[in-house]
Each structure stands twice: as structure tokens, then as C-alpha cells.
Amino acid sequence: SKVLNVLGGVYKKQGKTEKAIETFKAQIAIDESLDDKKSLTIAWNRLGGVLEKQGKFKEAQQAFETEIDLAKSLDDKRELAIAWNCLGRVLEKQTALNEAQQAFEKQITIAKSLDDKRELAIAWNCLGGVLEKQEKLKEAEHAFEKTIKNTDFNDKKYLALGWKRLERVQKKR
């Protein structure tokens, strides 16, 4: 199944999304027959990513929800944080902003428990974007400040993004 995961990734990079979907679905079938839940979480994540790229947000949402259930059953906090982020993204794209906010807040809670500053920076940045769309500007400002606080100073691109988004929210207030 690992070979199928890599092959699906190659298809995705080549823009052959239908082939990528077929390949990830084949991986899922194999992983289910082997009861390999760890590999299944990864496969559902990869499938969800391709579906999201195609704009099939409801299907992507289902894939990420399945990934969440599997990660919970394994008590895999790192995979769970990733899955909540992915789910939050597709919910945001469907303008389900309250649900997206909740997903990013769950990602933050998990990232804190892992003491993972990179994951925290990503989660705070995503949460800030949703809060900004909801016109919750004070909370968005706080989220972008947390993004900057948790971003490694060597990660200049992400740091610049945090500052830019913070400045934009401050101008709106």
C-alpha cells in the first residue's frame, strides 16, 4: 500500500487527479483488508487532498472526517491535528465558518498538547483567517499575533504572512 501512496502522490503532482483518486482508493481497499489503520489515516488524508483540489469539498470533508475517526481510534495526536486542519480548510471553502473555526480550535488544542510550535502557527493562522471572514477582528488580530509568536524566525515566508495578515486586520479595526 505504501507504493500506491507514493504513486498517488506522483499522479497528483502531475495533475492526473482522477488517476490519483483511483490509486488512493485502491490503497484504502488494501489497508482496510489488512486492518492497517495508520496507513488508512494517511490514505484518507491524501484522497481528501485530491478531492479538495478538484473542488469536491463535500467528498473531501467526508474523507477528512474518516481520517479524524481513524486518528482518534489510534490516539494519534499528530495525525489528528493535521486532519482537523484539513477539515477546517474544506469547511471554510464551503463557507461553514463556525464549523471551520471549531476545527481550527481543536487543532490548536492538540498542537498545544504536543508542544508543536509549527502546527500552532499554522492553526492560529487558519483560525485568524476564519475569524476575519466572520468580522471578529479583535479575535482575528489575537490569532495572527499568536501565528507570529509561534513561527520560527527562520521561516521568513510564514512570518511575513503573519505580519501581513495582522496588519490587514488592524487596518480594518
Side-chain angles (χ1 to χ4, degrees):
S1 87
K2 287 183 172 88
V3 172
L4 290 173
N5 187 283
V6 172
L7 182 60
V10 169
Y11 286 139
K12 182 181 175 186
K13 278 190 179 194
Q14 292 175 339
K16 298 177 181 176
T17 54
E18 289 304 321
K19 290 288 282 181
I21 288 169
E22 287 174 32
T23 305
F24 291 132
K25 285 182 176 178
Q27 178 189 355
I28 288 167
I30 291 169
D31 289 341
E32 284 176 342
S33 72
L34 298 172
D35 197 32
D36 186 346
K37 290 182 181 177
K38 177 63 180 164
S39 187
L40 269 169
T41 60
I42 295 165
W44 280 108
N45 175 277
R46 302 290 302 272
L47 177 61
V50 176
L51 293 167
E52 179 183 1
K53 187 175 180 177
Q54 285 188 324
K56 296 178 179 177
F57 301 129
K58 280 288 186 204
E59 290 177 57
Q61 178 181 340
Q62 291 170 342
F64 295 133
E65 288 170 345
T66 302
E67 177 189 12
I68 287 168
D69 291 341
L70 287 162
K72 281 181 183 176
S73 76
L74 294 169
D75 196 30
D76 185 339
K77 289 181 177 30
R78 190 157 310 282
E79 192 68 36
L80 200 51
I82 291 166
W84 281 116
N85 175 272
C86 295
L87 180 61
R89 277 193 334 250
V90 297
L91 289 168
E92 182 178 0
K93 289 175 180 173
Q94 296 174 81
T95 64
L97 299 180
N98 289 331
E99 293 87 350
Q101 178 181 340
Q102 291 169 6
F104 295 132
E105 288 169 346
K106 288 177 182 178
Q107 180 189 13
I108 288 167
T109 300
I110 295 165
K112 282 180 181 176
S113 77
L114 295 171
D115 196 28
D116 185 335
K117 290 179 85 83
R118 176 77 175 134
E119 193 71 30
L120 271 170
I122 291 166
W124 281 113
N125 185 56
C126 292
L127 178 61
V130 167
L131 292 168
E132 183 180 359
K133 287 178 180 177
Q134 294 172 308
E135 297 296 320
K136 297 177 181 176
L137 299 180
K138 186 173 177 64
E139 294 96 331
E141 182 178 345
H142 174 73
F144 293 133
E145 287 170 349
K146 292 280 198 175
T147 299
I148 294 163
K149 178 183 174 198
N150 286 287
T151 300
D152 185 312
F153 285 103
N154 293 322
D155 189 350
K156 298 199 184 338
K157 181 179 176 185
Y158 212 74
L159 202 54
L161 176 65
W163 281 109
K164 180 180 177 183
R165 295 183 92 185
L166 176 61
E167 179 183 21
R168 185 179 64 223
V169 167
Q170 288 173 334
K171 284 180 180 176
K172 287 181 178 180
R173 284 189 64 207

PDB file of all heavy atoms in Angstrom, residues 111 115-122 149-151:
ATOM      1  N   ALA A 111      -2.221  20.774  19.095  1.00  0.00           N
ATOM      2  CA  ALA A 111      -0.855  21.272  18.873  1.00  0.00           C
ATOM      3  C   ALA A 111      -0.230  21.748  20.183  1.00  0.00           C
ATOM      4  O   ALA A 111       0.963  21.531  20.420  1.00  0.00           O
ATOM      5  CB  ALA A 111      -0.863  22.392  17.839  1.00  0.00           C
ATOM      6  N   ASP A 115       3.102  20.426  22.095  1.00  0.00           N
ATOM      7  CA  ASP A 115       4.112  21.482  22.149  1.00  0.00           C
ATOM      8  C   ASP A 115       4.777  21.671  20.779  1.00  0.00           C
ATOM      9  O   ASP A 115       5.986  21.779  20.654  1.00  0.00           O
ATOM     10  CB  ASP A 115       5.167  21.189  23.228  1.00  0.00           C
ATOM     11  CG  ASP A 115       5.984  22.427  23.574  1.00  0.00           C
ATOM     12  OD1 ASP A 115       5.462  23.556  23.436  1.00  0.00           O
ATOM     13  OD2 ASP A 115       7.169  22.259  23.951  1.00  0.00           O
ATOM     14  N   ASP A 116       3.929  21.690  19.734  1.00  0.00           N
ATOM     15  CA  ASP A 116       4.384  21.792  18.352  1.00  0.00           C
ATOM     16  C   ASP A 116       4.128  23.218  17.853  1.00  0.00           C
ATOM     17  O   ASP A 116       3.027  23.564  17.443  1.00  0.00           O
ATOM     18  CB  ASP A 116       3.618  20.773  17.495  1.00  0.00           C
ATOM     19  CG  ASP A 116       4.105  20.713  16.060  1.00  0.00           C
ATOM     20  OD1 ASP A 116       4.673  21.706  15.561  1.00  0.00           O
ATOM     21  OD2 ASP A 116       3.895  19.661  15.427  1.00  0.00           O
ATOM     22  N   LYS A 117       5.167  24.042  17.902  1.00  0.00           N
ATOM     23  CA  LYS A 117       5.012  25.451  17.544  1.00  0.00           C
ATOM     24  C   LYS A 117       4.664  25.640  16.072  1.00  0.00           C
ATOM     25  O   LYS A 117       3.889  26.525  15.728  1.00  0.00           O
ATOM     26  CB  LYS A 117       6.281  26.235  17.912  1.00  0.00           C
ATOM     27  CG  LYS A 117       6.447  26.381  19.421  1.00  0.00           C
ATOM     28  CD  LYS A 117       7.701  27.126  19.784  1.00  0.00           C
ATOM     29  CE  LYS A 117       7.548  28.577  19.772  1.00  0.00           C
ATOM     30  NZ  LYS A 117       7.021  29.332  20.832  1.00  0.00           N
ATOM     31  N   ARG A 118       5.200  24.825  15.209  1.00  0.00           N
ATOM     32  CA  ARG A 118       4.895  24.948  13.777  1.00  0.00           C
ATOM     33  C   ARG A 118       3.407  24.666  13.529  1.00  0.00           C
ATOM     34  O   ARG A 118       2.737  25.407  12.816  1.00  0.00           O
ATOM     35  CB  ARG A 118       5.780  23.986  12.967  1.00  0.00           C
ATOM     36  CG  ARG A 118       5.483  23.951  11.483  1.00  0.00           C
ATOM     37  CD  ARG A 118       6.057  25.146  10.773  1.00  0.00           C
ATOM     38  NE  ARG A 118       5.856  25.023   9.345  1.00  0.00           N
ATOM     39  CZ  ARG A 118       5.418  25.992   8.575  1.00  0.00           C
ATOM     40  NH1 ARG A 118       5.182  27.176   9.054  1.00  0.00           N
ATOM     41  NH2 ARG A 118       5.241  25.800   7.287  1.00  0.00           N
ATOM     42  N   GLU A 119       2.918  23.601  14.129  1.00  0.00           N
ATOM     43  CA  GLU A 119       1.498  23.258  13.984  1.00  0.00           C
ATOM     44  C   GLU A 119       0.625  24.349  14.600  1.00  0.00           C
ATOM     45  O   GLU A 119      -0.428  24.689  14.060  1.00  0.00           O
ATOM     46  CB  GLU A 119       1.210  21.902  14.634  1.00  0.00           C
ATOM     47  CG  GLU A 119      -0.117  21.309  14.283  1.00  0.00           C
ATOM     48  CD  GLU A 119      -0.224  20.811  12.853  1.00  0.00           C
ATOM     49  OE1 GLU A 119       0.782  20.385  12.265  1.00  0.00           O
ATOM     50  OE2 GLU A 119      -1.345  20.863  12.315  1.00  0.00           O
ATOM     51  N   LEU A 120       1.079  24.911  15.718  1.00  0.00           N
ATOM     52  CA  LEU A 120       0.346  26.013  16.346  1.00  0.00           C
ATOM     53  C   LEU A 120       0.290  27.233  15.432  1.00  0.00           C
ATOM     54  O   LEU A 120      -0.758  27.868  15.299  1.00  0.00           O
ATOM     55  CB  LEU A 120       0.997  26.401  17.676  1.00  0.00           C
ATOM     56  CG  LEU A 120       0.523  25.656  18.909  1.00  0.00           C
ATOM     57  CD1 LEU A 120       1.417  25.975  20.108  1.00  0.00           C
ATOM     58  CD2 LEU A 120      -0.923  25.960  19.226  1.00  0.00           C
ATOM     59  N   ALA A 121       1.403  27.562  14.813  1.00  0.00           N
ATOM     60  CA  ALA A 121       1.438  28.720  13.912  1.00  0.00           C
ATOM     61  C   ALA A 121       0.460  28.529  12.757  1.00  0.00           C
ATOM     62  O   ALA A 121      -0.289  29.444  12.395  1.00  0.00           O
ATOM     63  CB  ALA A 121       2.854  28.945  13.385  1.00  0.00           C
ATOM     64  N   ILE A 122       0.445  27.332  12.195  1.00  0.00           N
ATOM     65  CA  ILE A 122      -0.468  27.028  11.089  1.00  0.00           C
ATOM     66  C   ILE A 122      -1.918  27.161  11.563  1.00  0.00           C
ATOM     67  O   ILE A 122      -2.744  27.787  10.904  1.00  0.00           O
ATOM     68  CB  ILE A 122      -0.192  25.616  10.534  1.00  0.00           C
ATOM     69  CG1 ILE A 122       1.171  25.584   9.822  1.00  0.00           C
ATOM     70  CG2 ILE A 122      -1.314  25.154   9.595  1.00  0.00           C
ATOM     71  CD1 ILE A 122       1.694  24.188   9.533  1.00  0.00           C
ATOM     72  N   LYS A 149       3.969  34.713  16.979  1.00  0.00           N
ATOM     73  CA  LYS A 149       4.651  34.230  18.183  1.00  0.00           C
ATOM     74  C   LYS A 149       5.142  32.796  18.017  1.00  0.00           C
ATOM     75  O   LYS A 149       6.208  32.433  18.518  1.00  0.00           O
ATOM     76  CB  LYS A 149       3.711  34.327  19.376  1.00  0.00           C
ATOM     77  CG  LYS A 149       4.294  33.820  20.665  1.00  0.00           C
ATOM     78  CD  LYS A 149       3.293  33.870  21.791  1.00  0.00           C
ATOM     79  CE  LYS A 149       3.882  33.215  23.020  1.00  0.00           C
ATOM     80  NZ  LYS A 149       2.878  32.848  23.992  1.00  0.00           N
ATOM     81  N   ASN A 150       4.379  31.974  17.325  1.00  0.00           N
ATOM     82  CA  ASN A 150       4.716  30.552  17.192  1.00  0.00           C
ATOM     83  C   ASN A 150       5.501  30.216  15.927  1.00  0.00           C
ATOM     84  O   ASN A 150       5.838  29.058  15.716  1.00  0.00           O
ATOM     85  CB  ASN A 150       3.441  29.712  17.267  1.00  0.00           C
ATOM     86  CG  ASN A 150       2.907  29.643  18.670  1.00  0.00           C
ATOM     87  OD1 ASN A 150       3.466  28.965  19.517  1.00  0.00           O
ATOM     88  ND2 ASN A 150       1.837  30.380  18.940  1.00  0.00           N
ATOM     89  N   THR A 151       5.765  31.208  15.092  1.00  0.00           N
ATOM     90  CA  THR A 151       6.505  30.951  13.859  1.00  0.00           C
ATOM     91  C   THR A 151       8.002  31.066  14.121  1.00  0.00           C
ATOM     92  O   THR A 151       8.465  32.033  14.732  1.00  0.00           O
ATOM     93  CB  THR A 151       6.090  31.943  12.754  1.00  0.00           C
ATOM     94  OG1 THR A 151       4.698  31.784  12.499  1.00  0.00           O
ATOM     95  CG2 THR A 151       6.854  31.686  11.460  1.00  0.00           C
TER      96      THR A 151
END
